[in-house]
Each structure stands twice: as C-alpha cells, then as structure tokens.
Amino acid sequence: GKEVHHPQIEMIKGIQGIGVEDKPSRKVAQEFACYDCHFTNQLDHDSKAPTAAEIVANDKCSGCHTDAAKMEANMKAQKDKVKAQLDQLLPRLETAKKALEEAKAAKKDVAAAEKALGAAITDITYVEADKSLGIHNPEYTDALLKVGAAKLDEFDAAMK
C-alpha cells in the first residue's frame, strides 16, 4: 500500500484511496479552510475540533447547521460507526500481514494477495490516520472502509 501523507486535507479533498472514486467533501465546494472549523478561538488559534454548539454558532456554518442537538447525535453516530469498523478491520490487517510474511517465507506465490493487502492497508489506515472518524468526509470514509474490507476478503481468498 501507499502512505497517505496529509490524511486530513486529502480526506476533505476525497483523494488518494485505492479502488475508491474521488469524492470531495462538501466543505471543498464551500471553500472551507481548516481554520474555519478548527480555530474555535481566533485569539488562541486552538486548532481543536469544534463542538456541535460551536458549529451552529459559527456564521459560516449556521446556514446549513441549525440544530446543535441533532448535529451532536449525527456526529456521535458517525464516529461510533467508523470506530466499530476500524476495531474490526485493523486486527484483520495485522493478521493478514503476518500471514503474508509467513507465505513469503515459505516461497509461495502471493502476488495477488499482496496487491489486495496493499490496497486494504492504504484505505483502512488512511481512515485511521485522518483521526476524524469520518467527520471530515463521511461518504468518502464509508467508501474507503467498504473497499478496504473487500480487499481483505480478496486477500483471504487469494491466500487459500
């Protein structure tokens, strides 16, 4: 797999996955910059993730985001879903890496399995490295994890 060098900005742009169609976040079309969301205190340049209440209070956000309670619930659901997926997929990646190394040591032909695992590593660890648990670009995150899981299934089939 390839390393995604700037996972947050690339996630927002919806680029760099393997086997996943590019899908920019709506924030790209609206010309948001990182500081529009993450400098919740303009005096301190705190760079923290804003709360739903802070988003609703932000003039740039309040045109679309008007209900802080609903937004908080949606953000929690998104984060919980992605965390649960990562909790399943990351151990599978580690198991697959070990199996690949063992097969290579046994001089088995693992080219197809290695290609599938490389794609899975890129897509799954990309989501992990972004650290937003899907908040930066929910649709692209979902696509990356779906393809990553499929590539792990492809790896398993190629190793049989």
Side-chain angles (χ1 to χ4, degrees):
K2 63 181 180 176
E3 181 180 350
V4 178
H5 295 285
H6 302 98
Q8 290 83 15
I9 193 66
E10 291 172 357
M11 180 65 75
I12 288 171
K13 289 180 178 180
I15 59 172
Q16 297 300 333
I18 296 179
V20 180
E21 185 176 322
D22 290 354
K23 175 120 179 90
S25 167
R26 287 168 280 182
K27 295 168 187 76
V28 171
Q30 296 166 333
E31 298 182 355
F32 272 78
C34 299
Y35 58 80
D36 288 322
C37 297
H38 290 284
F39 284 178
T40 58
N41 179 334
Q42 295 296 324
L43 300 174
D44 294 339
H45 301 287
D46 59 6
S47 296
K48 70 176 186 150
T51 65
E54 289 169 328
I55 293 169
V56 169
N58 184 328
D59 289 341
K60 193 160 184 177
C61 306
S62 61
C64 296
H65 299 292
T66 58
D67 185 337
K70 181 180 177 183
M71 184 174 192
E72 187 70 39
N74 290 342
M75 287 171 35
K76 181 179 180 341
Q78 175 67 28
K79 289 178 178 182
D80 288 349
K81 178 180 80 168
V82 171
K83 183 175 180 337
Q85 290 173 299
L86 287 173
D87 286 348
Q88 289 181 338
L89 294 171
L90 290 170
R92 282 186 69 194
L93 278 182
E94 293 308 312
T95 300
K97 288 177 191 177
K98 289 177 187 169
L100 183 65
E101 290 307 314
E102 290 170 6
K104 282 181 167 182
K107 305 285 189 217
K108 293 183 179 177
D109 179 12
V110 293
E114 190 168 30
K115 183 176 180 182
L117 181 57
I121 289 169
T122 294
D123 290 349
I124 295 165
T125 62
Y126 179 2
V127 171
E128 180 187 35
D130 170 53
K131 300 198 184 304
S132 78
L133 295 174
I135 299 301
H136 285 145
N137 191 337
E139 296 85 6
Y140 195 62
T141 297
D142 291 346
L144 288 165
L145 293 176
K146 182 178 179 181
V147 169
K151 289 297 181 179
L152 279 174
D153 293 342
E154 188 179 314
F155 169 84
D156 291 340
M159 290 294 284
K160 289 183 181 182

